[in-house]
Amino acid sequence: MSEMSFEELLNESMKEIHVGEVIEGKVIGVHKDYAVLNIGYKADGILKAFDYSRDGNLDLTTVLKNDDVLMVKVKKLNDGEGQVLLSRKELIQSQVNDKLKVLYESNEVQTGKVIKVTSGGLVCEIEPDVNVFVPKSLVSNKPFEDLNAYDGQNIQFVISEFNPIRNKCIGDRKRLIVAEEKARKAEALAKINVGDVIEGTVTNVLDYGVFVDVGNIDGLLHISEMGWGKIKNPKKTYNVGDKVKVLVREINGDKISLTTKFPDENPWLLARVNYALGKTVKGKVVRMTDYGAFVALDDYIDALLHVSEISREKVKKPEDVLTIGQEIEAKVIDYNE
């Protein structure tokens, strides 16, 4: 057998490597923009700064020194100058994707620290180099929150979308909040029954009514249910934070209707006696129409004085005889509870 040449012996002693393979390399030279690694191959490996990490401005001399040992991924066998191109960034991303895939498939709740706030959402770090993006629409069920309030905070979410090809990983915090609120509502509803009298706290005041917290769940006190009197503008009667005693009038699914019309305070309970047929009563003119005037007998009950009953003389319009605020006496000629 003929003797092998030095080149043949050298080639035989060198391992074979392939593109995409993960190998170990030892740093034998460091420059600002690239490092040279001995990878046990017939050619040295070149690790450029932009292939080391996602930091495009990194100076490799600040993170590497001779004799450091790195795990890297083979990017290209020949860079045109006979050297092997290496990538640490691709290896890290591949490891990150493997980690994210497991987390995505587990559907478990994750905790991440908000390391960056953008106009579109939050960048959260689960562990070093493992980041998840939570879009603004999935941060909360409140549409107008200031995202800057989350900066540096730990938040929880589930990974709802993962695409390693596009390096896309989406977190959903809103889903957890909605599920938590649903469970809280169900627990609260189980403790409330129609007919219960509860002291609640006003949480929101609108033109058509107010929302009242009656124990970890809000109920609606509609303007038509605000006592036996007449309320024209809830905002002039209620303020957020007010304590109010309410009666649970109806429960429909997770919606609660409230009232402050307590049955034992119903002014009509005494009206049959106070305003019986034939009785002379006093009242104040509060409103007029073409067909008559409405007279307030007390704070809760109005009576109609028809235009034909205003005077023995013919009256065309109530305002020809009466004025708003005028106190009058009249006899009850009809009563229909």
Side-chain angles (χ1 to χ4, degrees):
M1 184 169 68
S2 61
E3 291 186 1
M4 298 178 69
S5 67
F6 175 76
E7 183 178 357
E8 289 172 333
L9 288 171
L10 183 63
N11 287 340
E12 192 170 273
S13 67
M14 295 294 178
K15 62 185 177 183
E16 286 190 7
I17 60 175
H18 306 89
V19 173
E21 185 178 351
V22 177
I23 60 174
E24 184 179 275
K26 185 176 182 179
V27 178
I28 58 176
V30 186
H31 305 271
K32 179 180 179 181
D33 298 325
Y34 69 95
V36 183
L37 278 68
N38 180 356
I39 55 175
Y41 187 60
K42 61 184 178 183
D44 290 331
I46 299 297
L47 176 62
K48 296 184 178 179
F50 59 77
D51 280 322
Y52 181 83
S53 76
R54 286 180 288 187
D55 184 355
N57 299 316
L58 181 65
D59 179 351
L60 286 181
T61 61
T62 64
V63 293
L64 292 178
K65 62 182 183 300
N66 285 342
D67 296 328
D68 282 349
V69 177
L70 301 175
M71 297 302 295
V72 290
K73 194 172 186 179
V74 178
K75 188 175 179 180
K76 196 174 184 180
L77 289 177
N78 190 331
D79 65 351
E81 298 180 2
Q83 296 171 313
V84 180
L85 280 183
L86 306 172
S87 175
R88 175 179 173 270
K89 181 172 70 175
E90 287 187 11
L91 174 60
I92 292 175
Q93 188 59 54
S94 177
Q95 293 171 337
V96 168
N97 285 343
D98 290 343
K99 175 75 173 179
L100 290 173
K101 182 181 178 183
V102 172
L103 298 180
Y104 169 65
E105 291 176 347
S106 74
N107 200 35
E108 294 177 351
V109 177
Q110 308 300 323
T111 300
K113 182 178 181 179
V114 178
I115 58 174
K116 187 177 182 181
V117 178
T118 72
S119 59
L122 308 174
V123 179
C124 301
E125 184 181 67
I126 297 178
E127 56 186 67
D129 291 316
V130 182
N131 296 339
V132 175
F133 183 69
V134 182
K136 186 175 183 179
S137 61
L138 298 179
V139 171
S140 173
N141 58 345
K142 299 176 182 177
F144 302 110
E145 277 197 310
D146 179 10
L147 294 186
N148 290 307
Y150 292 95
D151 195 15
Q153 302 296 314
N154 287 323
I155 65 172
Q156 291 188 317
F157 50 83
V158 291
I159 298 176
S160 58
E161 186 178 348
F162 174 60
N163 188 330
I165 296 176
R166 298 176 58 189
N167 289 328
K168 183 179 182 181
C169 188
I170 300 298
D172 186 344
R173 180 173 178 264
K174 179 179 177 180
R175 183 192 303 180
L176 299 181
I177 294 174
V178 171
E180 183 180 325
E181 287 193 352
K182 186 176 181 180
R184 176 176 55 77
K185 280 186 175 182
E187 183 180 356
L189 279 168
K191 300 176 182 178
I192 297 175
N193 300 291
V194 172
D196 287 351
V197 176
I198 302 171
E199 182 177 69
T201 304
V202 175
T203 59
N204 198 5
V205 183
L206 303 170
D207 292 336
Y208 59 85
V210 301
F211 284 93
V212 181
D213 181 351
V214 289
N216 289 325
I217 188 170
D218 282 357
L220 174 63
L221 175 60
H222 193 267
I223 188 172
S224 62
E225 294 296 329
M226 292 180 178
W228 297 103
K230 293 181 174 62
I231 300 292
K232 293 183 178 180
N233 186 352
K235 294 179 179 179
K236 291 184 178 180
T237 306
Y238 295 95
N239 296 294
V240 172
D242 285 352
K243 298 294 182 181
V244 56
K245 186 173 75 170
V246 292
L247 173 71
V248 179
R249 189 173 67 88
E250 183 182 6
I251 298 177
N252 186 1
D254 62 353
K255 292 181 171 57
I256 300 175
S257 297
L258 307 171
T259 184
T260 55
K261 291 181 176 180
F262 298 100
D264 59 348
E265 297 175 0
N266 188 344
W268 289 92
L269 293 176
L270 298 176
R272 181 184 298 274
V273 175
N274 293 340
Y275 310 117
L277 285 175
K279 191 168 185 177
T280 299
V281 295
K282 291 182 179 181
K284 183 184 293 185
V285 177
V286 292
R287 186 162 60 93
M288 287 189 276
T289 67
D290 290 341
Y291 56 85
F294 285 90
V295 179
L297 302 181
D298 57 33
D299 291 338
Y300 307 105
I301 296 178
D302 290 351
L304 172 64
L305 177 60
H306 195 271
V307 65
S308 63
E309 300 294 337
I310 292 177
S311 172
R312 288 196 176 94
E313 306 295 329
K314 184 175 181 180
V315 176
K316 291 184 177 180
K317 295 184 295 183
E319 54 263 38
D320 292 339
V321 178
L322 303 173
T323 57
I324 299 295
Q326 180 180 349
E327 291 188 353
I328 65 169
E329 278 190 343
K331 182 181 288 187
V332 178
I333 60 172
D334 186 31
Y335 177 86
N336 187 331
E337 189 173 329

